[in-house]
Amino acid sequence: MNRRTLHIAHLFPDLLNLYADRGNILTLTQRLRWRGFSVEVHEVTHRDVPRLSAYDLILLGGGSDREQGIVAEYLKGYKAELKAAIEDGLPVLAICGGYQLLGAYYQLPNGEKLPGLDILNMYTSAGVGLPRLIGNVAIETPDAGIVMGFENHGGRTVHEHEPLGKVLHGHGNDGASGFEGVRYHNVWGTYIHGPLLPKNPRLADVVLTTALQYAGVKEPLEPLDDELENQARQAFLKLRMPEVETSVPSL
């Protein structure tokens, strides 16, 4: 197997790290190193110039409305380049605020629209008087089985793309459609955090497999022993979401 270094860009960790997104970076890097890969994490702040052609995977985390506005304003100069890279297959994991940023806008309760990157055919609005969507969440995904975690968002997201998964417990994109997140090319967008990947090693490996393929590594990932992680997942589901099927197939 080609053991080249995988390059992961953590965009704006100084602004978008509201929901323990560093835990996602740690999970990705450790699961690579356990398999003998080298990995380099590029922490790109709003004072840096992103080098999109140098990255094999991008992580966009969550932040407040203010931080999202700062990031959107900064990234608009790179919007065309980022959109072209995504269309060309660049893997992107976008969580909560980072997910919302991929759409056209986020409309505040007062009617003000914070512009997004307008990469996906998607928008988010926070309606006047509507409650926040908070609590444990579990969804069924086509390629990673049951994905679980925590959600806490006031926005309702609408898009015309494939969802990440079907809601089994919790609210999802809007609390009404029964779907959560988005799956577009090699983009995963989701409101699930807590953080996401330590709770869902199978999804972590789906993301890593896609990033390695984008980097030119075609061989499948060697399996890891995730028995302890799966037992913890099953125990949590049984305690907090007993209506959700607790069988967690191995990758």
Side-chain angles (χ1 to χ4, degrees):
M1 181 181 290
N2 178 10
R3 300 290 187 180
R4 57 149 286 182
T5 299
L6 197 78
H7 293 270
I8 300 174
H10 187 182
L11 297 190
F12 314 107
D14 52 335
L15 296 173
L16 302 180
N17 190 32
L18 191 59
Y19 297 118
D21 295 303
R22 289 186 187 277
N24 294 318
I25 293 289
L26 291 172
T27 297
L28 292 169
T29 56
Q30 188 57 58
R31 292 182 75 81
L32 282 170
R33 287 167 179 157
W34 278 335
R35 291 167 163 118
F37 286 95
S38 297
V39 57
E40 184 172 349
V41 176
H42 305 263
E43 293 198 344
V44 182
T45 74
H46 64 287
R47 294 177 293 274
D48 301 320
V49 176
R51 297 182 298 114
L52 298 179
S53 62
Y55 309 140
D56 304 309
L57 172 64
I58 285 177
L59 174 68
L60 265 172
S64 70
D65 295 343
R66 174 183 175 275
E67 277 76 26
Q68 282 182 235
I70 294 172
V71 171
E73 177 66 24
Y74 175 79
L75 277 181
K76 71 179 184 181
Y78 303 94
K79 182 169 68 173
E81 184 183 358
L82 181 57
K83 183 175 178 61
I86 286 175
E87 292 297 324
D88 195 42
L90 175 64
V92 176
L93 177 61
I95 297 169
C96 204
Y99 170 33
Q100 294 170 349
L101 273 171
L102 298 179
Y105 61 84
Y106 181 94
Q107 182 170 321
L108 300 173
N110 64 7
E112 179 187 358
K113 290 183 178 180
L114 299 177
L117 297 174
D118 203 16
I119 291 173
L120 301 184
N121 190 2
M122 180 178 88
Y123 66 89
T124 301
S125 59
V128 176
L130 292 178
R132 292 187 68 83
L133 304 178
I134 303 174
N136 296 312
V137 58
I139 65 174
E140 178 68 37
T141 70
D143 51 1
I146 295 175
V147 173
M148 52 181 276
F150 193 80
E151 60 182 338
N152 181 358
H153 55 102
R156 272 67 170 168
T157 295
V158 177
H159 63 74
E160 299 180 0
H161 306 290
E162 177 185 351
L164 179 62
K166 179 181 179 180
V167 175
L168 303 175
H169 180 100
H171 304 286
N173 284 330
D174 56 10
S177 67
F179 296 106
E180 202 286 322
V182 70
R183 190 74 168 86
Y184 177 77
H185 293 333
N186 290 333
V187 173
W188 297 264
T190 182
Y191 278 116
I192 301 176
H193 52 77
L196 172 70
L197 297 183
K199 291 183 172 71
N200 299 284
R202 188 176 180 193
L203 177 61
D205 280 357
V206 169
V207 172
L208 287 176
T209 295
T210 304
L212 287 167
Q213 290 174 347
Y214 180 76
V217 179
K218 304 303 182 184
E219 295 84 354
L221 282 176
E222 301 162 6
L224 296 175
D225 182 3
D226 291 325
E227 181 61 26
L228 287 177
E229 288 87 346
N230 286 334
Q231 287 181 10
R233 283 164 49 79
Q234 290 171 347
F236 184 82
L237 286 170
K238 184 176 181 180
L239 178 65
R240 300 296 185 183
M241 295 178 271
E243 77 280 15
V244 177
E245 172 59 49
T246 59
S247 61
V248 183
S250 59
L251 184 65

